[in-house]
Amino acid sequence: MGRVTSDTTATDAAAQHAPEPPGAPPVWQRRLRRFGLPARPQTDVRARLVPAFPEPSGRLWAVFGAGPDAAARLTRWSGWLGPLLVALFAGVLRFWNLGSPRKVIFDETYYPKDAWSLLQYGYEGTWAKNANDALVGHPPQLLLSPEHSYVVHPPMGKWLIAVGEGLFGMNPFGWRFMVALLGTLSVLLVCRIGRRLMRSTALGCLAGALLAVDGLHFVMSRTALLDLIVMFWVVAAFGCLLVDRDRTRARLAAALPVGPGGVTLPDEGVGDRLRLGWRRWRVAAGLCLGLATATKWNGLYYLAAFALIAVLWDVAARRTAGARRPFRSALRRDVLPAFGATVVVALATYLASWSGWIATKGGYYRDWATSPEGRTGHWAWLPDWLRSLWHYQTEVYSFHTGLTTPHTYQSNPWSWLVLGRPVSYFYEDPKVGQDGCTAAEGCAREVLALGTPLLWWAACFALLYVLYRWLFKRDWRAGAIVCGVAAGYLPWFLYQERTIFLFYAVVFIPFLCLALAMMLGAIVGPPGSTERRRTVGAVGAGVLVLLIAWNFIYFYPLYTGMPIPKSAWHHRMWFDTWV
């Protein structure tokens, strides 16, 4: 061994304090390797930034008799063909006999009538007290006057309902048409989102199929309420952010240097300083989040949550690309553009949704700024319409936070995931010979906003699974699903004194289905598992999916208002709180 000199000592000290190469493991991992901790296999940085989709197999199509060429084409198209078939199935379910019940059910007493008024005047007018019966009478009558009425939700969702009314008339099919269409399209979106999130067409289609047979989503897709419209825009925003994530990471990967053997290497300069520029998919996400908020204000929680998670994804991408200070780099280069693409775009979209109210003079509080009360204050220099609109929003906020009037079907958010108190939208008890009733004991017709019980109860375990994956495995996909559930669920715990309902949960149902699909994929087993393990897992997962489908079929009469014998109705009331 050579003599130790002051020069070698200085060299060793300098080596200890030299900066670590990009992508080096943390100090604690290197220390544990002295005790036998194996090193993680080093993967290509491009593969970590943009994981490839597994190559699909054509064996399934061969089983159905397709030749080699046809099987290859169908396999290439499966990424769209599978989701479209699932969406077609969901659409048939939702549009079949959509006009039944031919009644104004539950809160349809508000939104379809407001939507028709928007078509006529650009703002919400006033309807006569007997307007509901007149709408479904023979002949129907529209008892609407231009006198403004006080409404507590933004107009975007009602404008969408008005599209169906403009196409098919002011009748149950017309005012439910657009909600059914958005419910069907949301199934397609979940299929594609699940495919991109889990890199599996099968699991993506499974998530969409679970959504298609969820009872609450199904009922909300056939009822002209606003909450499913919020859900659609939230899911669309989530999908846009996923596309933006993949494309941004692909741009980082393309800018990184390539080493020997074609291996992409991390680079501090790229990770810390690369400007990601114009990101149209993030702008599209901001637009969708603005449309969600312009339908109901709970879209604001998703705006905040998704804007935060998008920046955290940028931090992770820069770290993987080799950034020394990924948080500081994201703060410098990503936060301000992200704020503009999400918050600013969403705010502009929200304002644009009030165009009918702004452009006309008859809306509620439209002329508040010109009243004696409105002329005072420090903001008199702002346009009258803007001050009037701001005053309207403050009054609506006071209404929502102070809404504590008891309701028969209100429920605490603690009970939502286990379906403690569903909401009855419609109920009749026809006698034999009436409305298709053939039972001597009499019948019951009900539209019950109840999730498919086995799906929701299984989703409770799936939530625990994705929490485990996120907290202990650092799986970003599980974290994204948790974020989607939390943003739609947790805020309601702040308003437990307020009158709230189970059907508000429809906004995060798609994320429950994604969580359940991820858990079912784990039950089947990861690639590389033994054939016995995969077979047993596939049988177990398949049995659970079939039970969920059976459960939906069993409760189908309660979702559609079909007449069933009173005894059959009682058998479906599994808990006293469901009555």
Side-chain angles (χ1 to χ4, degrees), residues 512-530:
L512 292 182
C513 293
L514 289 168
L516 185 51
M518 180 176 281
M519 186 182 75
L520 289 169
I523 291 174
V524 172
S529 301
T530 64

Side-chain angles (χ1 to χ4, degrees), residues 3-15:
R3 186 177 53 163
V4 177
T5 66
S6 60
D7 290 340
T8 58
T9 304
T11 302
D12 291 342

Side-chain angles (χ1 to χ4, degrees), residues 156-157 160 178-190 193 211 217 220-221 225-240 284-285 287-293 295-296 298-299 302 306 504-511:
M156 188 64 238
L160 286 173
M178 283 301 296
V179 184
L181 179 62
L182 295 181
T184 302
L185 291 177
S186 67
V187 172
L188 176 63
L189 287 176
V190 168
I193 286 170
L211 186 63
H217 185 275
M220 296 297 287
S221 297
L225 273 63
L226 301 179
D227 300 85
L228 185 126
I229 300 175
V230 177
M231 181 275 302
F232 173 81
W233 293 120
V234 164
V235 171
F238 185 72
C240 290
L287 175 65
C288 292
L289 291 167
L291 291 170
T293 306
T295 301
K296 285 186 80 171
N298 54 328
Y302 277 100
F306 285 178
Y504 294 171
V506 72
V507 180
F508 60 81
I509 285 176
F511 300 97

Side-chain angles (χ1 to χ4, degrees), residues 22-95:
V27 174
W28 65 270
Q29 285 190 10
R30 298 201 301 275
R31 288 176 178 171
L32 285 176
R33 285 176 190 168
R34 301 174 189 172
F35 301 95
L37 178 72
R40 283 186 175 184
Q42 294 297 314
T43 57
D44 182 84
V45 176
R46 169 175 283 277
R48 292 169 59 199
L49 282 170
V50 191
F53 279 91
E55 193 66 29
S57 171
R59 287 182 298 175
L60 175 64
W61 302 110
V63 169
F64 289 103
D69 293 339
R73 285 195 300 271
L74 289 170
T75 300
R76 286 196 303 271
W77 298 340
S78 61
W80 275 104
L81 185 60
L84 286 172
L85 288 174
V86 174
L88 177 63
F89 166 71
V92 170
L93 283 177
R94 280 149 180 76
F95 279 96

Side-chain angles (χ1 to χ4, degrees), residues 262-524:
V263 176
T264 303
L265 303 175
D267 182 84
E268 179 181 347
V270 173
D272 272 325
R273 293 186 286 276
L274 181 67
R275 294 189 179 277
L276 299 174
W278 176 253
R279 297 164 69 169
R280 63 180 183 272
W281 282 100
R282 184 167 283 184
V283 174
L287 175 65
C288 292
L289 291 167
L291 291 170
T293 306
T295 301
K296 285 186 80 171
W297 279 3
N298 54 328
L300 282 170
Y301 296 113
Y302 277 100
L303 174 61
F306 285 178
L308 176 61
I309 199 173
V311 172
L312 292 178
W313 286 347
D314 287 346
V315 171
R318 289 186 179 277
R319 180 189 292 116
T320 303
R324 292 285 180 190
R325 300 176 179 84
F327 279 96
R328 190 172 74 175
S329 300
L331 185 63
R332 282 182 172 182
R333 293 176 171 80
D334 301 326
V335 169
L336 189 59
F339 181 84
T342 53
V343 177
V344 175
V345 170
L347 177 60
T349 304
Y350 183 85
L351 285 175
S353 73
W354 286 88
S355 297
W357 183 89
I358 294 169
T360 58
K361 289 294 184 180
Y364 204 87
Y365 280 132
R366 178 61 183 85
D367 296 325
W368 175 86
T370 59
S371 67
E373 181 186 0
R375 292 195 189 100
T376 60
H378 299 291
W379 304 100
W381 55 274
L382 290 173
D384 290 345
W385 67 266
L386 185 57
R387 288 189 294 123
S388 296
L389 182 60
W390 176 255
H391 178 72
Y392 198 170
Q393 308 308 296
T394 59
E395 292 296 311
V396 168
Y397 178 77
S398 299
F399 170 85
H400 284 304
T401 55
L403 182 61
T404 57
T405 306
H407 192 284
T408 304
Y409 292 106
Q410 71 183 67
S411 59
N412 192 287
W414 286 107
S415 69
W416 288 0
L417 291 180
V418 294
L419 303 175
R421 182 58 169 163
V423 182
S424 180
Y425 287 176
F426 167 80
Y427 181 85
E428 286 183 348
D429 51 355
K431 306 301 181 184
V432 61
Q434 298 176 350
D435 293 335
C437 178
T438 58
E441 61 183 297
C443 294
R445 295 183 64 201
E446 184 170 27
V447 175
L448 186 66
L450 170 72
T452 303
L454 291 184
L455 190 157
W456 281 68
W457 298 339
C460 291
F461 293 97
L463 276 179
L464 295 176
Y465 172 71
V466 294
L467 277 169
Y468 159 76
R469 293 285 310 179
W470 176 45
L471 295 175
F472 296 100
K473 298 292 185 179
R474 293 295 188 267
D475 189 334
W476 73 270
R477 304 168 303 166
I481 294 171
V482 169
C483 177
V485 175
Y489 184 37
L490 296 184
W492 293 109
F493 286 91
L494 302 174
Y495 305 101
Q496 294 194 55
E497 299 301 322
R498 187 183 181 278
T499 307
I500 52 180
F501 303 92
L502 169 65
F503 66 82
Y504 294 171
V506 72
V507 180
F508 60 81
I509 285 176
F511 300 97
L512 292 182
C513 293
L514 289 168
L516 185 51
M518 180 176 281
M519 186 182 75
L520 289 169
I523 291 174
V524 172

Side-chain angles (χ1 to χ4, degrees), residues 113-159:
K113 293 190 290 187
D114 287 345
W116 185 261
S117 180
L118 288 174
L119 279 180
Q120 308 307 311
Y121 308 126
Y123 62 89
E124 292 86 347
T126 300
W127 291 79
K129 290 185 178 180
N130 60 333
N132 289 354
D133 293 333
L135 282 174
V136 295
H138 299 284
Q141 293 179 287
L142 305 176
L143 306 181
L144 172 66
S145 72
E147 178 66 24
H148 58 230
S149 62
Y150 180 56
V151 294
V152 295
H153 291 300
M156 188 64 238
K158 290 170 280 189
W159 277 115

